[in-house]
Amino acid sequence: NANEPVNIKHSSSGASAKVYPFGATVASFVTSKNHEVLFVSKLAKTDGSKATRGGIPLVFPQFGQPNKDMPQHGFLRCNYWKVGKSYDSDNEAGCDFTLDLQDVVKARGDGIWKASETDNAVDCSICLLVKVKPTSLTTVLTITNTGSTAFEYQTLFHTYYKIYGSKALDNNMCNVVGLEGYNVDDKITNENTIQDGTPITIDREVDRIYTPDAQKQDLDITICTGED
C-alpha cells in the first residue's frame, strides 16, 4: 500500500499523529490525554485515489478555484510526497515530508504550473514538518522557489476539527475567538462588516472570509470544539 500512513509517536508522553504520504495529509493528532483533535469523514478515501476528506489537507498554489485552469485548492493534497526521517526525543517527535514540482503528476492545470521544459518555467520544492508534543501539534510548511521565475500563490492548512459532545450548536462550548478587527465578507448574505470581540459561533450555514489589516502578520486565535 503506497499510502500506508506514517505514525509519529512521542514515546515519553504517548501523544501521536498519523500522516498519509498522499497529500502529506495529517489525519490524526491524539494528545497525551488520548484526546483526538482532528476529524476525518467516514467517507474519506485513504487509498491514494483522491484527496482525503478531513484532517489537515494542504492548499497550494490556490485556495478555491480563482484560476479555472487548475483544479480547486491546487496540487499538494493529491500527489504522493516523499517521507523523510522521523525522530523521537524527550521533548517531541516529528517527521518531514517533501514534494518537488517535477514529481507532481496530478492537478497541475494548464497555466503556469503545467509541466514545461522552457527556461522561464516555474519550479519549486515544498517541505512539511510535523512535530508532536504532549498537548500540541505543530505543522510547518516551507515553500522554496527553485527556479528563476517568481510566482504568486495562496497556501493554507485546511484543518478539520473534531467536535465533541454534540456541541456544535452550543455557543459556549463551540466557538472561535481572536478575529476581532478583521473584515468579514459574508458570502451567504453578501454583507461586509468588521468583526467585534464577540466569539464567532455557528448557528446556520456559514461561508465567510475574514481578512486582517494589511499590517497584521500573525494569526492568534482560539478554537473551542466542545467537551471531551
Side-chain angles (χ1 to χ4, degrees):
N1 181 4
N3 202 32
E4 189 70 26
V6 176
N7 293 302
I8 305 171
K9 186 165 185 177
H10 184 225
S11 298
S12 64
S13 71
S16 65
K18 179 171 69 176
V19 186
Y20 286 105
F22 188 77
T25 304
V26 181
S28 172
F29 168 52
V30 179
T31 70
S32 60
K33 295 183 178 180
N34 202 35
H35 178 93
E36 173 61 71
V37 176
L38 302 176
F39 168 82
V40 175
S41 170
K42 62 182 180 181
L43 301 177
K45 298 291 186 181
T46 59
D47 58 359
S49 60
K50 62 188 302 185
T52 303
R53 186 186 298 182
I56 311 179
L58 302 175
V59 173
F60 174 91
Q62 68 175 4
F63 176 62
Q65 199 177 20
N67 293 328
K68 302 303 180 183
D69 59 58
M70 173 178 285
Q72 178 171 279
H73 298 336
F75 51 74
L76 296 193
R77 64 193 187 125
C78 49
N79 282 275
Y80 278 101
W81 292 53
K82 295 178 182 177
V83 180
K85 293 183 179 180
S86 59
Y87 64 91
D88 182 11
S89 66
D90 290 340
N91 295 326
E92 65 183 32
C95 186
D96 64 88
F97 304 80
T98 58
L99 179 67
D100 295 330
L101 186 60
Q102 64 185 13
D103 296 326
V104 174
V105 296
K106 295 181 179 179
R108 289 180 64 157
D110 296 320
I112 66 170
W113 296 98
K114 184 178 180 180
S116 174
E117 299 296 331
T118 61
D119 293 338
N120 63 346
V122 297
D123 199 5
C124 66
S125 179
I126 301 168
C127 177
L128 173 70
L129 175 60
V130 179
K131 298 190 291 185
V132 175
K133 291 185 177 182
T135 59
S136 68
L137 175 75
T138 300
T139 52
V140 180
L141 190 66
T142 303
I143 300 165
T144 304
N145 185 346
T146 54
S148 58
T149 301
F151 54 82
E152 295 183 354
Y153 65 89
Q154 298 169 321
T155 189
L156 58 90
F157 298 105
H158 201 305
T159 308
Y160 292 73
Y161 291 98
K162 185 171 183 177
I163 305 300
Y164 278 87
S166 300
K167 298 294 184 178
L169 299 180
D170 186 329
N171 293 349
N172 294 318
M173 297 297 297
C174 191
N175 56 65
V176 178
V177 296
L179 295 178
E180 54 267 25
Y182 279 57
N183 181 77
V184 184
D185 181 10
D186 194 314
K187 297 298 184 180
I188 303 296
T189 65
N190 292 319
E191 295 178 325
N192 194 284
T193 59
I194 300 297
Q195 178 64 37
D196 58 21
T198 305
I200 299 168
T201 57
I202 307 299
D203 58 0
R204 56 181 173 82
E205 181 182 1
V206 170
D207 184 1
R208 305 188 192 113
I209 297 175
Y210 290 81
T211 305
D213 181 271
Q215 297 181 349
K216 187 175 180 60
Q217 298 294 318
D218 299 320
L219 177 65
D220 184 9
I221 64 175
T222 301
I223 301 173
C224 301
T225 56
E227 58 187 357
D228 198 345

